[in-house]
Amino acid sequence: MSKAGADEGGAGGCGDSAKQLEAKDEKGGTLLSKLPAGPGWTKVSCPCCFSERVEPLVVVKLGGKVGPETKRWLIKMIGAPQKDGGAALLAHPGEDASGDIIVVSAPRCTLLRAAEELGLCKTYRSGDMEAFSYNDRDNFKDSDNMEAFLTLAERQYIVKYELDGLRAQKDLRIPGLPESRMLQKRDNIWQKLSSAGVVVDTFPLHNRKKLKDLGEAWYSGNQLAQPLGGWKYNTLLLHLHAVLFIQIAVKILHYMHLSLLEGTMIHNRWLRRCAHTRYLCLTYLDSVNDYFGSAVAFYFSFLDFYTWSLLTPAILGLTISYFSGEAQKEMVDSVSGSKVIINDDDSGPMISGHMLQAMFSMIWSTVFMELWKRRSSSLSYRWGTMNLAERFAEPRPNFHGDLGVNPVTGRMEPLFPEWKRDLRMVLVSVPVVGLFLGLVVLGMMCFYWGEAQVKQLHKDWDSLLSQALLYIPSVLHIVYTNMLGNVYRNVAQSLTEYENHREESAFENHLTAKILVFTFFNNFAVLFHIAFFKQDVPLLRKRLASLLIVSQLVNQVTEVVIPFLVDRFISAPHRTESEDDPQEDKFRNQRTLPVFPGLFAEYIELLVQFGYLSLFSCVYPLTAVLLLINNITEIRSDAYKICNLFRKPFSPPVANMGVWQVAFEVLSFVSVISNCWLLLLSPRLQELCREGGLTSTNVLLLAVLGEHVLILIKFIMAALIPDEPDWIRKKREQMEYTSMQALKEQKLQPEVS
Amino acid sequence: MSKAGADEGGAGGCGDSAKQLEAKDEKGGTLLSKLPAGPGWTKVSCPCCFSERVEPLVVVKLGGKVGPETKRWLIKMIGAPQKDGGAALLAHPGEDASGDIIVVSAPRCTLLRAAEELGLCKTYRSGDMEAFSYNDRDNFKDSDNMEAFLTLAERQYIVKYELDGLRAQKDLRIPGLPESRMLQKRDNIWQKLSSAGVVVDTFPLHNRKKLKDLGEAWYSGNQLAQPLGGWKYNTLLLHLHAVLFIQIAVKILHYMHLSLLEGTMIHNRWLRRCAHTRYLCLTYLDSVNDYFGSAVAFYFSFLDFYTWSLLTPAILGLTISYFSGEAQKEMVDSVSGSKVIINDDDSGPMISGHMLQAMFSMIWSTVFMELWKRRSSSLSYRWGTMNLAERFAEPRPNFHGDLGVNPVTGRMEPLFPEWKRDLRMVLVSVPVVGLFLGLVVLGMMCFYWGEAQVKQLHKDWDSLLSQALLYIPSVLHIVYTNMLGNVYRNVAQSLTEYENHREESAFENHLTAKILVFTFFNNFAVLFHIAFFKQDVPLLRKRLASLLIVSQLVNQVTEVVIPFLVDRFISAPHRTESEDDPQEDKFRNQRTLPVFPGLFAEYIELLVQFGYLSLFSCVYPLTAVLLLINNITEIRSDAYKICNLFRKPFSPPVANMGVWQVAFEVLSFVSVISNCWLLLLSPRLQELCREGGLTSTNVLLLAVLGEHVLILIKFIMAALIPDEPDWIRKKREQMEYTSMQALKEQKLQPEVS
């Protein structure tokens, strides 16, 4: 704050400066859009934040009945410095004081301080990423140009973070609101305003120019040359694989002291090429991170990584299907639904393919997850989210507890004992979730029972009516499952709210985990039932094939085609924009888009896919091929969807995929058990064993032994592949070392000064 | 270094000051012993280190042919400041310049600097433990009195650490040594001197007074009142258990908003009592930590904790044995070795005991390990070793590699790439260890084959000669196993040396892990063979009982009685000490004691015990009782042994049990599998299933299902019980927070100053 002087008069871009924006827009290309002359932005409190151009970041939509005095008070709160209980942001009242929107932006100092509070890492003058410190801002690259220093997503998230963090400093009445809406001391203002209907909506603004650039690179490129998120990434992954193998080979050569010189030369040449492709690929993901934030960027990185990793199982699956001559039969089988080929099902050399596939999918899933972890940690370093300080920041707005001194940070804030939360989880959440899982099983059992009843009825009556009755159990089951799912979602939300997590990310993770378990159970209960109780491999194969094809088609249609059609033919006509429209109307128009539903649906789709692949793929080798085809379209459709069909989401900086990472890992463990079991079920293997004179008990014993050995191998593999690349580990240790040194130095300071 | 002035003349206690020691000895009680007048200690280089009394810490024994010039040079090196390539310690030449010992001590500054380098935590003025910082030394409690600030073990380890770290600053010739022993630049001096035979031995000195106090509290107290390491600990553990239950109960009450006031009152009263007993117990372990260092103290803490945890399984085992009326039979069976009672073996209610024991031992082993982890982290906080900075310190002396700049600390030191080490482990260590394990199995197979052959022979011949032959396979097997064990120990040492670990602790852990796997395999191969291949439960029971009784007797005899007899009747007569002996002779006498063999044998004994208990106890319920009896004597005998029969060991500060922790945890996992299998083997269960109409395949399936569920439960339990107590977590987070803050502050510093 050394520069914060006495000059309080410097205003953020006022009415006339907004005009200047127009001229600069062409040059900079980073500005969102011009703002018309008018009452202008609120004043900034320190001169270093003064800037001639102000970028509108977030729009606050007010309720229809909000009076001008309330709006004026709100604008004052948003613009007031933090020591006066304000948010220290910039507010603009839109066209006039009675309009129903407030446009919000953030001055430099607020952005920088929040970046420190969130624990973002930025490029230091040494070129390394370091935790940003406001006091040391001058040593960070680009810290004078906010649009280069913080990504658009970060700037918008910071605005939301500051608005959400607004707390009343004393009891006060909001002008224009009844007495009953009094603010108590330390009440969360934004929550109170939302519940009072003053604030209807807070949403970040799209930047049309950036969005167009991003879209062009992402989904509307040449369809042949860039089938994925970018041809660059394709070549990158191939290169990376090749480089990995060559590196290992070179290292062995090196180690054996053989042809040292040549080895290193090849190595270096490849490393250069690798660095180049890595650069190309990362620039593409960087722009996603820049525009949509790290949560979305992590999803797309994972989707890319996963899709390209599917190449190997797809090739293996194709080969197995082709050589076993089963490909055609499978296709026919799955499409026609006939069950005629059960008897000669596992004949011929199929058995080896079966086992090969099971073994392969086990190793593949382990290696895939370990490599993703490494990639994930590089990405979080690159995006400066490896060192987030959420634990040390203010608790989330909904967190409540007795006011006290946080023992760690020494700040005054609500405290809630850990054991109380644990108790709530164990005594309330776990039983309720268990109850719902029980309801799913109950539904499934009723469905089977009903189906048997109806079939019996149909056999007895054999009329058109009874044929229609045949569909009733399925319909009822679908309705039941959907209702249960909706009820469960609300219950999960309340349960997680009741658990009272301190950090936003902990809240998200617990909520996601609850819904995830349920959805997963819902999806796989039937398949597990077929595999482990009915022990009917052909039925499993048929079910898997139809699920893969039908559910993916349905997904693509519901996810993309319907929103697209709705947007094009129902919403869009009301939203025709012309260049002459006032800027406010353009802002308002963005609100007509539906809210982005979050990444849950996208992730769960991938997880269910991954489940099909790793758990059951050995019975249907074409799984990987179908998934690969699906994902290649999925990348483009997801990209199109998030760019065009929804409002821009707020996205907090995240360091990894959170609970999804765990879910994928758990699945890859369960896959070992499932594959061993499916191998055991294979009729061909059982026949072979009978020929070999083994009793079924001995076969089972062998399978159990094999399973334990495989799990052991999986553990060892997971332990041997380090979770972060060597260079990240070094950077992290370096950070730890410097902060240890700093602690010692700092203790000395009071003595010296 | 603000106090380090120009006055270089202040000497450490010189000849005459040594005389003053005598007088102070009575008062202080912490001094080791007086030193006679003589040439005196080397001079200290800074006045703050000057002290009137110097405590001899370590004795360096020189080779017989070392000339006085070499000794003088060595004393100069030890005394020289670190910037001149010396160790900055205090050296005393013993009786005269030609004697074969050098007595070494350490001045205050060297001790403090090394404490910072090692990353020791000490009590800050706030009362919390904080990483010690030399610059901030005045804010730490007792930092002017080294004997209160650092434990004896720490001071002695620091001396060794400094001596081991001596490196030649330039090429130089050691006076009195041939040209071939030239020191190259950066050569490790101490290693070179040892290989040249100049330094024969370096060992820390016992402090007779402290040792006597410790021994009195430890093993020679009232045998009835203090059967364990102290009656205090006994009551502590009972209290802790009670407190735990009451705490949980009170929390539930509290949570239910029932009888809030009474609940809290009971709670508080118990908490006070608990704090008191915790204090009593910890003072006893503290003095072990003080005298022998944290490695030994952790062993004894674990032994105490383990022994008292055995109470519950012992009571359960006794109850089961009593009620099943099997206790007598078991005893008779195991002693007489007769196999007559196989048929009615599992009759009556034994089956429920069998299952109860299996389930219980699974849950017990999990809870035990989790509670130990919590205790271990409290201990490491208490002893200031939670934050060791070995990674950032100098590498271990034997570490070699290309000289380069450490990317983390920025210091010049040998570097060795991680991947090369991994490669060496995977390509060399793992196959060699596998080979030796194969040799163990081969030996066992040969033994069984030989036994069968000899029995056949005996049956055919039935002579005295053939009866003698019966013993040959056993004898050969024992000889083979012992030889293999000795060879393996050397191989493991070389392999670990070849792997070239940077940190001493990593070296120790890898070496221990190698020997551990082998020893464990050696011990359990026979039992596993009986349980899983022969599937002979009665034989397993017999074997287990005899192993438990015989091996423990043998252990106690070889570990304690023999060293005691040797010491008393062979060594001691040469070591009659009288008060009039010169101090040097007393120092020399300590060298006649054998070197402390390390804790490996002690730990492996516990591990094997734990293995018997958790893996197989369900077939022999009295295991826990026998182990409890053994351990109660073990604590005393181990304590007596380490105090009286061996030289005092150097003991680096450690934060936990290292690889032993992992070994115990792995074992407790394997125990689930083993218990499920043993349950399955129980004839009573199989009979029950036959009655229930289940095929053996179905029973097996149920067992596998049960095993998976139990493992899942174990995982969840391990995840639910936090690894460190709440208060430790808070302290740790506080440390992280302050060091994060410090990093930000420090970056600012260059700007300000």
Side-chain angles (χ1 to χ4, degrees), chain A residues 454 457-458 460-472:
Chain A
V454 170
L457 222 64
H458 181 55
D460 293 350
W461 294 2
D462 200 14
S463 71
L464 208 70
L465 178 73
S466 69
Q467 203 164 13
L469 273 179
L470 272 180
Y471 292 97
I472 287 190

Side-chain angles (χ1 to χ4, degrees), chain B residues 199-362:
Chain B
V199 172
V200 180
D201 229 336
T202 316
F203 60 93
L205 287 167
H206 268 302
N207 180 330
R208 290 286 163 217
K209 174 150 175 21
K210 273 200 170 182
L211 190 61
K212 201 162 148 259
D213 290 350
L214 183 64
E216 262 164 26
W218 205 358
Y219 56 86
S220 39
N222 178 351
Q223 292 285 337
L224 287 172
Q226 307 187 337
L228 253 170
W231 171 247
K232 305 142 188 174
Y233 194 45
N234 176 352
T235 47
L236 165 83
L237 230 114
L238 291 181
H239 277 198
L240 275 185
H241 284 156
V243 166
L244 201 72
F245 281 114
I246 290 204
Q247 275 184 338
I248 291 170
V250 169
K251 277 170 182 176
I252 291 174
L253 283 181
H254 188 95
Y255 179 67
M256 299 291 182
H257 298 287
L258 287 171
S259 65
L260 192 79
L261 201 69
E262 287 108 314
T264 315
M265 270 170 59
I266 301 174
H267 185 202
N268 287 344
R269 204 179 311 141
W270 270 95
L271 272 185
R272 271 199 302 279
R273 294 193 68 170
C274 170
H276 181 64
T277 41
R278 183 187 280 166
Y279 168 77
L280 284 178
C281 152
L282 284 177
T283 49
Y284 142 71
L285 285 171
D286 280 347
S287 52
V288 176
N289 174 53
D290 193 70
Y291 192 79
F292 285 110
S294 46
V296 175
F298 264 110
Y299 167 72
F300 280 100
S301 311
F302 181 71
L303 183 55
D304 268 12
F305 191 81
Y306 173 53
T307 305
W308 283 107
S309 304
L310 278 175
L311 257 185
T312 9
I315 291 169
L316 184 78
L318 274 179
T319 321
I320 288 174
S321 298
Y322 181 77
F323 278 107
S324 64
E326 289 253 329
Q328 293 79 16
K329 268 195 282 173
E330 297 272 341
M331 280 302 194
V332 173
D333 186 21
S334 59
V335 172
S336 69
S338 66
K339 264 182 159 190
V340 282
I341 28 176
I342 295 171
N343 295 330
D344 58 341
D345 211 355
D346 285 292
S347 57
M350 182 60 189
I351 172 65
S352 64
H354 207 109
M355 287 174 76
L356 197 70
Q357 185 89 27
M359 286 293 289
F360 174 80
S361 83
M362 194 207 84

Side-chain angles (χ1 to χ4, degrees), chain A residues 136-396:
Chain A
D136 194 28
R137 56 189 177 281
D138 295 334
N139 281 323
F140 283 86
K141 218 182 120 197
D142 287 329
S143 66
D144 46 354
N145 177 8
M146 281 305 106
E147 274 149 48
F149 185 67
L150 292 165
T151 67
L152 178 63
E154 280 165 354
R155 277 171 283 151
Q156 290 177 330
Y157 178 74
I158 286 173
V159 170
K160 178 181 146 67
Y161 175 80
E162 295 295 346
L163 291 178
D164 278 347
L166 275 178
R167 281 182 189 275
Q169 282 192 324
K170 55 180 189 294
D171 293 7
L172 64 87
R173 226 185 117 244
I174 302 168
L177 284 193
E179 196 70 43
S180 60
R181 299 290 189 179
M182 273 282 290
L183 279 173
Q184 310 287 318
K185 196 184 167 192
R186 281 201 65 80
D187 263 358
N188 187 300
I189 296 179
W190 213 250
Q191 273 188 309
K192 207 85 179 188
L193 290 175
S194 301
S195 66
V198 174
V199 171
V200 180
D201 227 337
T202 315
F203 60 93
L205 286 167
H206 269 300
N207 180 330
R208 290 285 164 215
K209 172 149 175 29
K210 273 199 171 181
L211 190 61
K212 200 161 147 263
D213 291 350
L214 183 65
E216 262 166 24
W218 206 358
Y219 56 85
S220 40
N222 178 351
Q223 294 284 341
L224 288 171
Q226 305 187 339
L228 254 168
W231 171 247
K232 303 141 187 174
Y233 194 45
N234 176 350
T235 49
L236 166 83
L237 229 115
L238 292 180
H239 276 198
L240 275 185
H241 284 156
V243 165
L244 201 72
F245 282 113
I246 292 205
Q247 275 184 337
I248 291 169
V250 168
K251 277 169 182 175
I252 292 173
L253 283 181
H254 188 94
Y255 179 67
M256 299 290 182
H257 300 285
L258 288 173
S259 64
L260 191 80
L261 201 69
E262 288 106 313
T264 316
M265 271 168 60
I266 302 174
H267 185 200
N268 287 345
R269 206 179 309 142
W270 269 94
L271 273 186
R272 270 198 303 279
R273 293 193 69 169
C274 169
H276 181 64
T277 40
R278 183 185 281 165
Y279 169 76
L280 283 178
C281 154
L282 284 177
T283 50
Y284 141 71
L285 285 170
D286 279 347
S287 52
V288 177
N289 174 54
D290 193 71
Y291 192 80
F292 284 109
S294 45
V296 175
F298 264 111
Y299 168 71
F300 280 100
S301 312
F302 182 70
L303 183 55
D304 268 12
F305 191 79
Y306 173 53
T307 306
W308 283 107
S309 303
L310 279 175
L311 258 184
T312 8
I315 291 170
L316 184 79
L318 273 181
T319 321
I320 288 174
S321 299
Y322 181 77
F323 278 108
S324 64
E326 289 255 327
Q328 293 79 17
K329 268 194 281 172
E330 297 273 341
M331 280 301 193
V332 172
D333 186 20
S334 58
V335 172
S336 68
S338 64
K339 265 184 157 188
V340 282
I341 28 173
I342 295 170
N343 295 330
D344 58 341
D345 209 354
D346 285 294
S347 58
M350 182 60 188
I351 173 65
S352 64
H354 209 109
M355 287 175 75
L356 198 69
Q357 185 89 28
M359 287 292 291
F360 174 82
S361 83
M362 192 208 85
I363 293 170
W364 175 81
S365 62
T366 313
V367 173
F368 163 65
M369 279 319 293
E370 290 299 316
L371 290 183
W372 165 249
K373 268 191 229 161
R374 291 169 69 94
R375 188 170 163 75
S376 164
S377 70
S378 326
L379 289 176
S380 86
Y381 177 79
R382 191 178 168 83
W383 295 335
T385 59
M386 72 187 302
N387 207 13
L388 294 178
E390 216 183 349
R391 287 177 302 165
F392 304 138
E394 287 269 308
R396 52 187 279 271

Side-chain angles (χ1 to χ4, degrees), chain A residues 116 130-131 135-136 255 391-392 407 424 498 696-697 700 704 707-708 730 734 736-737 744 747-748, chain B residues 116 130-131 135-136 255 391-392 407 424 498 696-697 700 704 707-708 730 736-737 744 747-748:
Chain A
E116 170 172 350
E130 300 238 6
N135 286 329
D136 194 28
Y255 179 67
R391 287 177 302 165
F392 304 138
R424 286 184 180 186
Y498 177 66
S696 62
T697 313
L700 191 56
V704 172
E707 188 214 324
H708 284 78
K730 276 187 193 139
Q734 205 176 345
E736 280 170 36
Y737 181 71
K744 288 176 182 164
K747 280 195 192 139
L748 182 63
Chain B
E116 171 173 350
E130 300 238 5
N135 286 328
D136 193 28
Y255 179 67
R391 289 176 300 164
F392 305 138
R424 286 183 180 187
Y498 177 66
S696 63
T697 313
L700 191 56
V704 172
E707 188 214 324
H708 283 79
K730 275 187 195 140
E736 279 170 37
Y737 181 70
K744 288 176 182 163
K747 283 199 191 132
L748 181 64

